[in-house]
Amino acid sequence: DAGVTQSPTHLIKTRGQQVTLRCSPKSGHDTVSWYQQALGQGPQFIFQYYEEEERQRGNFPDRFSGHQFPNYSSELNVNALLLGDSALYLCASSLLSATGYTFGSGTRLTVV
Amino acid sequence: AQTVTQSQPEMSVQEAETVTLSCTYDTSESDYYLFWYKQPPSRQMILVIRQEAYKQQNATENRFSVNFQKAAKSFSLKISDSQLGDAAMYFCAYRSAGWNNDMRFGAGTRLTVKP
């Protein structure tokens, strides 16, 4: 049973560019949450998708947007990249009614 | 807003010994869930143990156990018989049982296990 799959694993972008990160949830899960984890810090909640709609959002600017597809997979888009966007981006899936998350191994984004 | 605080940036333990990691949280809710996650260098968050706030009994998973003090809003993790493979970042996390149920994490504790 495949867990949460994220792609790519590593990415290097230039300031001002746009990036798209992808996540395939664990089989049977319907909810996808995205987190940003800066070096040496705990993950910070970006947003959560359920039934193809953004259900909740953390304290992140509109440059961060997302999408969920009918097969429950999800994308995280970041526009106008800043150096401070360099971080590990984690995707977590769950059932909306469940208590815990299953995490992917993340995408390491470096902005230069 | 709910906040999670881990006051120990780093901890060290001798192999086979016991170590306790501390976590406190702030919430006005009565129904919620608490978690400890382990993050090794592979980066993937691995669930160590989970506690439901409505349960008075402390959760236990093999060598891992928690001390849940609801009134004090404290949720510590005890690792017994520490093994080299326990070395990792450990994150305490809170999740509301209500509508706004995103998971909130502490800043983490880096655990080193000495042979």
Side-chain angles (χ1 to χ4, degrees):
Chain A
D1 181 24
V4 178
T5 304
Q6 291 188 244
S7 64
T9 54
H10 297 84
L11 202 54
I12 299 176
K13 288 287 189 178
T14 304
R15 273 183 303 174
Q17 285 188 317
Q18 179 265 344
V19 67
T20 297
L21 310 182
R22 294 176 175 83
C23 173
S24 293
K26 181 177 179 179
S27 178
H29 285 181
D30 58 10
T31 303
V32 173
S33 301
W34 286 92
Y35 286 82
Q36 180 195 66
Q37 186 178 17
L39 195 62
Q41 298 183 21
Q44 299 294 314
F45 175 68
I46 303 175
F47 43 54
Q48 182 185 77
Y49 276 84
Y50 173 70
E51 291 189 340
E52 303 178 49
E53 296 286 336
E54 184 182 289
R55 183 174 177 273
Q56 296 178 74
R57 188 179 183 92
N59 189 25
F60 278 80
D62 292 344
R63 298 186 298 109
F64 289 77
S65 63
H67 190 77
Q68 187 179 34
F69 299 94
N71 66 353
Y72 306 115
S73 67
S74 178
E75 290 182 348
L76 164 64
N77 301 292
V78 187
N79 294 323
L81 284 167
L82 304 174
L83 295 179
D85 295 332
S86 295
L88 178 68
Y89 288 84
L90 293 168
C91 171
S93 74
S94 66
L95 287 170
L96 186 65
S97 58
T99 57
Y101 289 175
T102 300
F103 283 85
S105 296
T107 294
R108 173 74 66 190
L109 173 64
T110 302
V111 182
V112 298
Chain B
Q2 297 85 8
T3 57
V4 179
T5 303
Q6 293 179 249
S7 59
Q8 306 156 317
E10 297 183 358
M11 291 286 284
S12 179
V13 63
Q14 206 73 31
E15 194 176 6
E17 297 293 307
T18 296
V19 64
T20 298
L21 308 184
S22 300
C23 172
T24 59
Y25 58 95
D26 184 26
T27 185
S28 59
E29 299 177 326
S30 59
D31 195 12
Y32 50 87
Y33 307 95
L34 296 165
F35 307 84
W36 279 98
Y37 278 90
K38 170 185 177 181
Q39 188 179 41
S42 67
R43 309 182 320 199
Q44 186 170 15
M45 289 280 196
I46 301 166
L47 178 64
V48 174
I49 200 164
R50 173 178 63 205
Q51 175 80 43
E52 290 85 354
Y54 63 85
K55 290 186 178 179
Q56 294 185 345
Q57 186 173 6
N58 290 324
T60 300
E61 289 287 343
N62 301 313
R63 297 183 295 108
F64 300 88
S65 61
V66 298
N67 184 4
F68 173 47
Q69 301 291 327
K70 190 172 184 179
K73 297 179 183 175
S74 171
F75 183 62
S76 62
L77 174 69
K78 185 172 80 172
I79 305 174
S80 304
D81 185 25
S82 296
Q83 300 175 359
L84 295 178
D86 294 334
M89 285 292 292
Y90 284 81
F91 291 96
C92 178
Y94 170 103
R95 188 178 187 192
S96 169
W99 191 89
N100 284 327
N101 61 356
D102 57 285
M103 195 171 288
R104 305 290 176 96
F105 289 83
T109 297
R110 180 173 301 282
L111 178 65
T112 302
V113 181
K114 297 179 179 178

